Amino acid sequence: MSDTEPEQLSDTPSPEETSVELPPMPETVIDPELFRLTMTVVAHMDAMVTEYFARDGYKYTPYREKRQVKAFDSGWPNVYSKEKDESRVAPAELFAHRSSAIDPFTYDDVPGMAALKEYVTSTEAVLDKIRPQNAAGTLPDELAESLMDTTIVLFPKSIYDRATALDLEMTDPAVSDLYLQRERSWLAPTLEYQLVVPLLLTDFDIGDEGLQVDEVTRIERLLDDDLRRISEVDRFTVMTPLADAAKWAVVVDMPPMDNIGEGRMLFTRDAPIDTRGVEAVCDAIRIVSLARPGWARVFRRPRDWARHWEDHLPNLDHVFTARRYPSYFEDGGWLKEHTGVTAEEAAQLPAIAAALKTSSAQAKLASRRLSMALLRDTQDDQLIDACIGLEALLGQKGAEISYRVSVRAAALLASKADEPRDPELTFKLARKVYDRRSELVHGSTSGKHATVQPQEDGPEFSTHSVAVWMVREVLRERLVRSDWSVEDLDAMVLKGLAPANPADPESDTEDAHVAAAAAAAAAEESTSGDG
């Protein structure tokens, strides 16, 4: 530049040259100076964007994207691919590490960004939390510096992006709350969260308010924005239409986790997530109803903190994906209707879940085997699991276990307060189940006992479905009644248990036969694999 040429002035004013209004500082801020510096950057980002869009001529406009949420004819959600939403601008996308035609501003262009970086890197309490570190301490300095720089610039950018996604003015106190959520992610010693696990192809007749199962567990309705968020992640481990086919989720309050800092989190694998609370709810559902719940994606829902956000969507962080559902779900299950949980059945869930927590080891084993049976791919394995469950509940050491279980099942189910079962028919069904079990464990291929006919000239049912029905019935009685033991059942006289009606000695027995046949038919449907 010659001495006579005027000095080229920067288009971007310095922080000292431009004053900006900040939102009020909350009393719960951990680091007031970090708040002031961060919110100054956020305010300047907004001012730069406002000036940019006020310019004459061509301006690149980044738009947000949105997924449509509709439903298949079966009623299950159908979450579409992302489409540009030209009604909503994403101004934070105008900032990047390097400027370009679509990124007119670099992060270092923003007034106050240098001061923010200087404060973070010179304040040990903050630096210790965001400095990238691996367990071996071998991270190259150049890589660590680059990652840390990105972490710092994304801190205000994430707040600005979320604020604009929510249509907030930068002076709104709600923007201060966004800062608090990000600050806690950096500096809070512990972080509270919930597990959110969508239930696949499982519906409940419980109303949009959901259902409280126990003090830390509930079933919540998934809204369209929830579905948009959960569809953002892991679209490959499980078939996407199946993973998205959820109307409800199990939500579990979890113990707080130690906050090791975002820097260490980059190179630290998450500790194993305890999903026993989710499994307990699914176990209880399988006991009270013919529904076959399953799950795949597992999310962490931060409570008053955030590492990042996705547009305006709920704050859900994907943790892992598993296959905890019947395999027939993958055969276009989202295109079919499935047995759901009725209002009456849902009302039983809290009591059954509570009883399972304090139940005997035998009842817990039976519950686990019932769930295993309903997740199995093969009918023979379902039957073996069901028999193990029956033996845990009704068996004792000694000879002729099948006879003991059959007699006790007949006695127990005949004494049900609601819909007592005919003891002779129950005994017959149980013996058929064990005949089939004997075929399987001894390697027979005859299939002679693969089906059972509860009533003469009536329909036949698969023996494995009868076995699953029976262990469910016995297990429910074990959990809701404490007035019996296997010794009590042995003391009952089988024939004397048949319901009697003085006016019509045959009527109750006939009704019990019909009820048992209807139950067998329902069990057949619940284990058939077609919903």
Side-chain angles (χ1 to χ4, degrees), residues 361-418:
Q362 292 85 354
K364 287 184 171 69
L365 172 59
S367 174
R368 188 164 63 251
R369 285 293 177 167
L370 173 61
S371 285
M372 291 173 66
L374 291 174
L375 292 171
R376 295 284 193 189
D377 292 338
T378 65
Q379 297 179 354
D380 292 347
D381 289 340
Q382 290 183 18
L383 185 138
I384 296 298
D385 280 324
C387 287
I388 293 173
L390 285 170
E391 290 162 19
L393 294 167
L394 299 176
Q396 284 179 326
K397 293 182 179 179
E400 195 50 43
I401 185 68
S402 64
Y403 180 80
R404 290 174 180 266
V405 168
S406 301
V407 169
R408 291 166 179 167
L412 176 65
L413 300 186
S415 65
K416 287 180 59 175
D418 59 321

Side-chain angles (χ1 to χ4, degrees), residues 123-409:
T123 305
E124 191 59 33
V126 181
L127 183 62
D128 182 62
K129 286 290 190 178
I130 72 160
R131 180 193 293 119
Q133 301 177 51
N134 58 9
T138 58
L139 192 67
D141 289 344
E142 184 177 352
L143 176 59
E145 292 297 324
S146 175
L147 291 172
M148 186 164 61
D149 185 76
T150 297
T151 298
I152 295 172
V153 299
L154 291 183
F155 189 73
K157 179 180 179 178
S158 65
I159 296 170
Y160 179 55
D161 182 63
R162 183 70 164 184
T164 56
L166 297 174
D167 293 325
L168 299 175
E169 296 292 334
M170 294 306 117
T171 55
D172 192 316
V175 180
S176 297
D177 183 65
L178 297 179
Y179 168 85
L180 288 177
Q181 294 180 51
R182 292 292 285 119
E183 183 190 57
R184 292 186 189 110
S185 175
W186 271 21
L187 302 179
T190 59
L191 300 171
E192 296 184 355
Y193 70 100
Q194 299 168 319
L195 278 191
V196 178
V197 181
L199 293 178
L200 307 182
L201 305 181
T202 307
D203 205 356
F204 295 82
D205 183 15
I206 55 177
D208 291 343
E209 67 276 8
L211 175 70
Q212 192 75 29
V213 178
D214 58 35
E215 63 277 7
V216 298
T217 310
R218 57 198 157 278
I219 296 170
E220 288 186 8
R221 165 75 77 178
L222 291 173
L223 305 178
D224 283 357
D225 277 348
D226 297 314
L227 295 170
R228 292 185 177 100
R229 179 66 187 111
I230 68 177
S231 188
E232 289 286 327
V233 302
D234 195 355
R235 298 176 64 81
F236 304 101
T237 302
V238 173
M239 302 172 71
T240 301
L242 172 58
D244 292 346
K247 298 180 180 181
W248 302 89
V250 177
V251 177
V252 184
D253 295 338
M254 303 296 287
M257 63 180 185
D258 292 333
N259 184 9
I260 64 174
E262 288 193 14
R264 290 187 180 91
M265 283 299 298
L266 289 172
F267 298 96
T268 303
R269 181 175 296 178
D270 274 332
I273 298 294
D274 185 354
T275 58
R276 286 177 295 179
V278 179
E279 293 285 12
V281 172
C282 291
D283 289 345
I285 292 171
R286 296 178 186 118
I287 292 169
V288 304
S289 77
L290 298 179
R292 298 181 68 176
W295 52 270
R297 295 172 178 146
V298 176
F299 296 87
R300 179 187 291 121
R301 182 161 69 191
R303 304 186 75 169
D304 299 322
W305 59 276
R307 289 209 170 103
H308 58 82
W309 293 286
E310 180 70 28
D311 198 359
H312 69 290
L313 299 177
N315 190 8
L316 294 171
D317 298 332
H318 179 247
V319 183
F320 71 92
T321 301
R323 181 188 175 278
R324 290 291 296 166
Y325 54 83
S327 62
Y328 73 85
F329 277 17
E330 296 178 347
D331 186 20
W334 55 93
L335 301 175
K336 307 170 185 176
E337 296 182 0
H338 296 264
T339 301
V341 181
T342 67
E344 181 180 1
E345 292 165 345
Q348 301 173 42
L349 278 176
I352 292 295
L356 271 175
K357 285 184 178 179
T358 58
S359 64
S360 64
Q362 292 85 354
K364 287 184 171 69
L365 172 59
S367 174
R368 188 164 63 251
R369 285 293 177 167
L370 173 61
S371 285
M372 291 173 66
L374 291 174
L375 292 171
R376 295 284 193 189
D377 292 338
T378 65
Q379 297 179 354
D380 292 347
D381 289 340
Q382 290 183 18
L383 185 138
I384 296 298
D385 280 324
C387 287
I388 293 173
L390 285 170
E391 290 162 19
L393 294 167
L394 299 176
Q396 284 179 326
K397 293 182 179 179
E400 195 50 43
I401 185 68
S402 64
Y403 180 80
R404 290 174 180 266
V405 168
S406 301
V407 169
R408 291 166 179 167

Side-chain angles (χ1 to χ4, degrees), residues 474-492:
V474 173
L475 179 56
R476 186 189 291 118
E477 291 302 295
R478 175 73 286 169
L479 295 174
V480 302
R481 291 171 49 188
S482 60
D483 61 346
W484 64 272
S485 66
V486 291
E487 292 79 12
D488 295 329
L489 300 179
D490 288 341
M492 295 180 182

